[in-house]
Amino acid sequence: MSKRRAFLKVAVPAVLFPLAAMLIMGTVLRNPYVEGLPFGVVDLDGTSLSRTVVHNLKRHPTLAVDDTLRTEDEARRALEQRRIVGMMLIPRDYYRDLRANRSSNAVVVIDGTNTVIASNVQQAVSTVMATVSAGYQMKVLESRGAGPETAQAVLSNFSFGERVLYEPTLGYQAYLIHLSTLYVIQMVFFSLFLVPFLIERKNALGIPVSPRDLARRLGPLWLIADLAVSVATWGGFQLLHGLFGLPEHADLLRHTALITLFLMQLTAIGLVWASAFRDPSIFTETYLSLSLVFMMTAGITWPAWAMPPGFDAVTSALWPMITVALPFKALHLKNAGWAQLAPTILQGLAFTAAWGALGTFFYIRSRKRSLAHE
Amino acid sequence: MPLPRQAVFLTLGVPLLASVVLGYQFSPQKMIHVPTAVVDLDGTSLSRTLVHDLERTDAMTLTAFPGSEDELAELLQTGQVAVGFIIPRNFAEDLKNSRGPKVLTLYDGAQMGAVSNAKAGMTEVLATIRAGFVAQVMTGRLGMTEEAASTALQSLGYTIRILGNPSKSLAAFLLFGILMSVWQMTAAILGCEIAHQGRPSLGSLWTGLGLSSAVAAASFILCLIPPVLWFGLPFRGPGLELPLLAVPASAALITLGAFLRLAVGQRAITLSIIGLLPITMLLSGITFPSAAMPVSFRDWSSALPYSHFALPLRDWSLLGGGAEVAAGHALWLLSFAVAAGGLATWLWNWRRQRLEAAHV
C-alpha cells in the first residue's frame, strides 16, 4: 500500500465518522425541551377554580391537553391505548371541599415507562398546581383582612431560587454528545485502525516487528489519526455550538491533549487485544459486541459516586473511557483548566505505562508464537 | 453445516456478560445521595435547622460545608459535588422582619442525571420547609390561629400516580434497552457470519439462519435473567410468553445481518455497518422521547426492528400484561424477517450464479 493510500485510509474515517456522528446526534437531540405531550383532563367539578386549572394546563408548553374526554373510563382507556401519556381527574365538589378545608384531591395518572416523559409531565402538572395554589392562597389571605401587599409579603417571605450552571437547559444533547463522541473516536481508532494494523503486522511473515520497528511504522499513522480526529471533533463542537447553542469552552490545545491521552491509553490496551486475536474480523466482532458495555460504564450515564463500591476502580483499571469521559465533558462544558485536568493526565500516563509494558510483552510473545505456528 | 463457533459464543456470552456487569453497576437502581455542599453564611440556629431538614432527605447527601461561595464554586467546577445550597447572611433576621430572604440552590448542569433527581428532591423539601416558615409568620405577625393559617395555606390537593416505574428507577428505565442494544449487535453479527458463500446450498443457508435464530432467541431470554434474579429489576411480563417476542426479534436481526453481508459482500464493511446499530436505540425514542426530536426523525421509530422488541419488552417489564402487548410487534418482526430473508435468498442466488459463471 502506498504511503498516500495508507494516509487516506486513516485520515478519512478519522475525520468523517466522528463528525458525521456528532452532527446526527446534535440534530436529533437539539431540542432540550419536551413539548406537546398528549395529556387528558376530565373536569367533573366544572367550577371557576377547576376551569382555571384546565386553562393553565392548556397554556403549559409541555402538554397538549385533550379536554374532550368526558369520563374517567374514557381517559383511562386513552392512557392504556397510549393516545395520551397522562391524565388528570378533577373530582366533583373539588372547589367546595377546598373552601371547607376538607381533603379532596385531583388524581393525576402518568405512564411511567419513559422516565423522561413522566418527569416532564409531572413537573408541568406541579408547576400549574403551585401557580393556581398561590393565587388561591392570596385570595384566602385577602378575604381574612390582609391587604394585597401584606398577603404577598407573607407568602413570599421565605423564597428559594435555583440556578443550573454550565448547561442551564439540562438537555440531552450536552448530556450525551461528549460521551458518544469518545465512543465513535474509540471505534474508529481502535477497531478500524489500530488493532487490525497490529494484528496484520503480527501475522506478517518476513518483516521485523521489534518494538522500535513497530513504533517507526505505526508512529506516523498514529499521529495522523490523532491530529485528524482531534481537529475534526474540536471543529464538530464549534459547529454544534454555532448551530444549536451547545455550551462550548474548550481550546484546541487542551482538547487535543485529552484526545491524545485517550488514544495513548487505547494503544497500550490495544497491544494486549492484538496479541489475543489472529483474525482481524473476529477482533472487530468481539470489540463491537462489547463496545456498548465500555460506553455505559464510563461514568456518564451512571456516575462513579453512584456505582457499587470498587466498581469504578475496576473499570478504570481495565478500560480508559471512564478516566477520560468526565474530564472531557468538564473541559467542554466547564472550561476545565490544566490544573483540573492534571490528575486525569497523570492517571492516563500511568495506565499507558502499565498496560503498554504488559501489552508489549504479550504482543512480542504472540508474534513469536505466530511465527512458530507458520 | 455447523454454526460459526466464535459468533455463537459472542451471541450467547456477551449479552449475558453485559447483563451481569451493567446489572451490577445499576443495582443501586436510583441516583440517590447526590453529593451536595451547603454554605451557611447565616450560622444561626434557624439556618442550622434548615440544614438539618436537608440532611433528612434521601435525594442528597451533604458531603461538604465550604466557608464561602467561592469555595462552593470550586467544588462544583471540579465535579466534587453536583448540588450547592447557599443560606444567605442575616437569613434568620430577615425572615423575622419579613424582608424576604432567598436561599439559592446551584446545580451542576454537566451532571444531568444526578441533578434531575436532586432537583425533584430539593423542591419537595424546600416546599415543606417554606410552608412551615410561612405558617409561623401567619400565626406570629398576622395573629392568625393555627387552624386559620392552615386553611390559608391550603394548596390545591392532588395525588400523582406514576404507572410502571413510580420510583423513577434509572435501572428499570434504561437497563433492558441497553441490553437489547448489545444483543441486537451480536445477533446481527451472527447473521452476517452465517451468510457467506461457503454455504453449499440454499438449504444450508436457511438451516444456518434457523439455527442461529434459535441461538439468538436463547441469548435474548438468558440476558434478562441476571438483572431480574440478582439485581432487583422488575419484570412483570409473562415469562413463558417471552419467546413470542424473542424468536421473531432473533429472526429479524439474523436475517438483517445475513442480508447486509450478502448485499455488501465484504465482511469488514458489513461489520462497520452493523457497528452503527446502537444509534437505533437513540432513534427509537426509548430514552429521548420521539416527540422532542426534529419532525424528520419522529417517525423513524416505527421502522426500526429495535423499537419492536425493546419497547414492548420494557412495557412487559414495567407494566406487565399478556401476549397482546407483544403480538402486533411480533407480527411486524416476522414480516421484517420474511422480507430480509427473501432479499438475502435472492442475493445469495445471484452471487452464486455470478460465481459459477466466473468459473465457467
Side-chain angles (χ1 to χ4, degrees):
Chain A
M1 193 188 295
S2 71
K3 278 186 179 171
R4 188 182 144 80
R5 271 195 70 188
F7 168 83
L8 288 175
K9 204 180 162 189
V10 173
V12 171
V15 170
L16 286 186
F17 284 173
L19 209 52
M22 289 173 82
L23 283 175
I24 292 171
M25 289 276 294
T27 307
V28 173
L29 303 176
R30 72 180 175 201
N31 187 1
Y33 306 108
V34 183
E35 293 178 336
L37 296 171
F39 187 80
V41 179
V42 181
D43 180 7
L44 299 177
D45 191 34
T47 57
S48 59
L49 182 79
S50 66
R51 281 195 294 272
T52 309
V53 172
V54 177
H55 176 71
N56 278 276
L57 287 171
K58 279 183 177 172
R59 282 180 49 191
H60 202 288
T62 302
L63 306 173
V65 172
D66 175 359
D67 59 355
T68 59
L69 304 165
R70 293 280 162 253
T71 63
E72 185 178 351
D73 282 349
E74 268 181 45
R76 287 195 186 273
R77 233 185 345 267
L79 191 63
E80 277 167 21
Q81 292 167 353
R82 298 275 166 87
R83 285 187 281 125
I84 52 177
V85 295
M87 56 168 271
M88 177 187 268
L89 176 76
I90 305 174
R92 249 176 261 286
D93 301 329
Y94 182 60
Y95 190 22
R96 204 179 68 183
D97 288 346
L98 187 73
R99 276 188 302 186
N101 206 10
R102 276 199 298 266
S103 161
S104 175
N105 282 336
V107 178
V108 180
V109 186
I110 301 172
D111 178 351
T113 47
N114 187 318
T115 304
V116 178
I117 291 177
S119 298
N120 274 281
V121 173
Q122 186 177 3
Q123 209 169 347
V125 170
S126 301
T127 307
V128 166
M129 295 305 265
T131 308
V132 182
S133 284
Y136 173 75
Q137 288 165 353
M138 285 276 288
K139 269 188 189 169
V140 173
L141 275 178
E142 284 173 38
S143 72
R144 287 176 183 268
E149 278 178 18
T150 313
Q152 176 74 34
V154 168
L155 288 174
S156 61
N157 188 26
F158 173 52
S159 59
F160 40 89
E162 62 175 38
R163 207 182 312 149
V164 180
L165 307 173
Y166 313 118
E167 212 291 273
T169 64
L170 279 179
Y172 246 68
Q173 192 188 52
Y175 177 48
L176 283 183
I177 196 81
H178 306 94
L179 177 65
S180 55
T181 301
L182 286 178
Y183 173 80
V184 178
I185 290 173
Q186 178 177 284
M187 184 174 284
V188 171
F189 178 79
F190 195 73
S191 78
L192 293 184
F193 161 59
L194 178 80
V195 181
F197 174 91
L198 291 173
I199 293 174
E200 276 165 23
R201 297 293 299 177
K202 183 182 80 171
N203 294 342
L205 298 171
I207 52 165
V209 190
S210 65
R212 183 181 293 177
D213 176 72
L214 195 64
R216 198 166 53 83
R217 287 179 187 278
L218 180 64
L221 294 176
W222 196 99
L223 284 174
I224 288 163
D226 183 18
L227 199 66
V229 92
S230 298
V231 173
T233 48
W234 185 78
F237 281 118
Q238 309 310 311
L239 208 59
L240 292 179
H241 174 63
L243 287 174
F244 307 125
L246 176 77
E248 171 56 32
H249 301 286
D251 58 41
L252 182 58
L253 187 63
R254 280 174 295 161
H255 174 82
T256 307
L258 274 189
I259 298 278
T260 306
L261 184 78
F262 184 45
L263 299 191
M264 281 165 61
Q265 294 179 85
L266 286 174
T267 307
I269 199 99
L271 284 164
V272 180
W273 278 63
S275 54
F277 290 92
R278 284 184 58 79
D279 181 346
S281 292
I282 302 288
F283 152 74
T284 308
E285 289 174 357
T286 310
Y287 169 77
L288 286 179
S289 307
L290 287 167
S291 58
L292 263 178
V293 180
F294 299 137
M295 184 180 177
M296 292 299 162
T297 51
I300 298 286
T301 44
W302 191 261
W305 54 260
M307 290 174 183
F311 189 90
D312 62 322
V314 174
T315 311
S316 55
L318 293 176
W319 200 257
M321 212 176 215
I322 191 169
T323 321
V324 178
L326 260 184
F328 188 67
K329 197 171 178 178
L331 168 65
H332 286 273
L333 290 182
K334 300 178 173 180
N335 196 16
W338 288 108
Q340 195 178 329
L341 298 177
T344 303
I345 293 172
L346 288 176
Q347 196 182 345
L349 291 175
F351 183 99
T352 307
W355 281 105
L358 213 59
T360 308
F361 169 75
F362 282 128
Y363 187 74
I364 291 172
R365 201 177 67 162
S366 77
R367 158 80 176 168
K368 281 180 186 161
R369 281 189 180 171
S370 197
L371 288 177
H373 178 76
E374 292 296 335
Chain B
M1 182 172 277
L3 297 175
R5 244 185 308 167
Q6 291 97 335
V8 168
F9 177 74
L10 285 179
T11 307
L12 285 172
V14 172
L16 195 61
L17 175 77
S19 80
V20 173
V21 172
L22 297 176
Y24 181 59
Q25 176 185 262
F26 282 97
S27 58
Q29 302 276 338
K30 278 181 76 178
M31 273 185 224
I32 49 174
H33 305 303
V34 176
T36 301
V38 175
V39 185
D40 181 0
L41 297 173
D42 191 38
T44 57
S45 61
L46 192 65
S47 67
R48 281 193 289 274
T49 308
L50 186 57
V51 174
H52 183 65
D53 286 340
L54 285 176
E55 265 172 344
R56 284 189 304 187
T57 170
D58 262 356
M60 58 211 111
T61 299
L62 306 188
T63 55
F65 297 88
S68 68
E69 292 180 38
D70 285 348
E71 284 176 38
L72 173 64
E74 178 70 16
L75 290 171
L76 285 162
Q77 166 71 21
T78 52
Q80 291 177 64
V81 297
V83 182
F85 190 74
I86 303 170
I87 303 173
R89 239 175 269 286
N90 304 323
F91 168 72
E93 203 177 315
D94 287 350
L95 196 68
K96 198 171 136 194
N97 297 319
S98 297
R99 282 200 290 264
K102 191 170 188 177
V103 297
L104 181 65
T105 314
L106 300 176
Y107 296 101
D108 177 359
Q111 301 192 47
M112 186 194 99
V115 163
S116 304
N117 259 4
K119 268 182 91 171
M122 187 66 98
T123 307
E124 207 174 293
V125 172
L126 288 178
T128 312
I129 295 171
R130 177 183 170 274
F133 277 124
V134 174
Q136 277 177 27
V137 174
M138 283 179 175
T139 49
R141 190 176 152 197
L142 298 182
M144 293 166 80
T145 62
E146 277 186 17
E147 196 190 339
S150 152
T151 309
L153 273 175
Q154 178 91 331
S155 299
L156 270 66
Y158 63 102
T159 51
I160 292 187
R161 199 170 145 233
I162 297 178
L163 304 175
N165 190 7
S167 66
K168 293 193 190 159
S169 150
L170 197 68
F173 170 48
L174 277 182
L175 189 55
F176 281 151
I178 298 169
L179 291 180
M180 285 299 104
S181 194
V182 173
W183 171 84
Q184 74 165 344
M185 188 101 91
T186 60
I189 288 172
L190 182 56
C192 159
E193 284 301 311
I194 292 295
H196 60 83
Q197 287 303 302
R199 301 256 152 207
S201 67
L202 206 54
S204 157
L205 174 72
W206 276 95
T207 309
L209 292 177
L211 287 175
S212 309
S213 298
V215 170
S219 168
F220 183 108
I221 295 169
L222 269 178
C223 76
L224 304 180
I225 295 173
V228 176
L229 275 191
W230 301 336
F231 305 120
L233 216 69
F235 188 83
R236 303 182 181 107
L240 289 176
E241 287 163 30
L242 257 179
L244 177 72
L245 199 57
V247 172
S250 303
L253 264 296
I254 293 285
T255 48
L256 174 67
F259 162 72
L260 286 175
R261 174 73 181 271
L262 290 164
V264 174
Q266 282 190 39
R267 188 190 197 187
I269 299 176
T270 312
L271 289 176
S272 301
I273 295 171
I274 290 174
L276 300 174
L277 279 178
I279 207 167
T280 58
M281 183 176 162
L282 177 71
L283 294 174
S284 71
I286 197 165
T287 51
F288 184 70
S290 305
M293 292 179 194
V295 178
S296 47
F297 287 96
R298 277 181 203 171
D299 299 327
W300 286 36
S301 172
S302 54
L304 302 169
Y306 177 85
S307 309
H308 292 277
F309 56 85
L311 289 172
L313 181 71
R314 191 172 66 186
D315 285 352
W316 255 347
S317 147
L318 296 177
L319 298 171
E324 73 284 353
V325 174
H329 296 287
L331 207 62
W332 189 97
L333 289 164
L334 278 179
S335 312
F336 183 92
V338 168
L343 283 171
T345 306
W346 181 79
L347 282 167
W348 190 89
N349 271 328
W350 178 71
R351 284 189 177 276
R352 194 83 185 170
Q353 282 164 12
R354 280 188 60 182
L355 209 64
E356 282 167 7
H359 272 295
V360 172

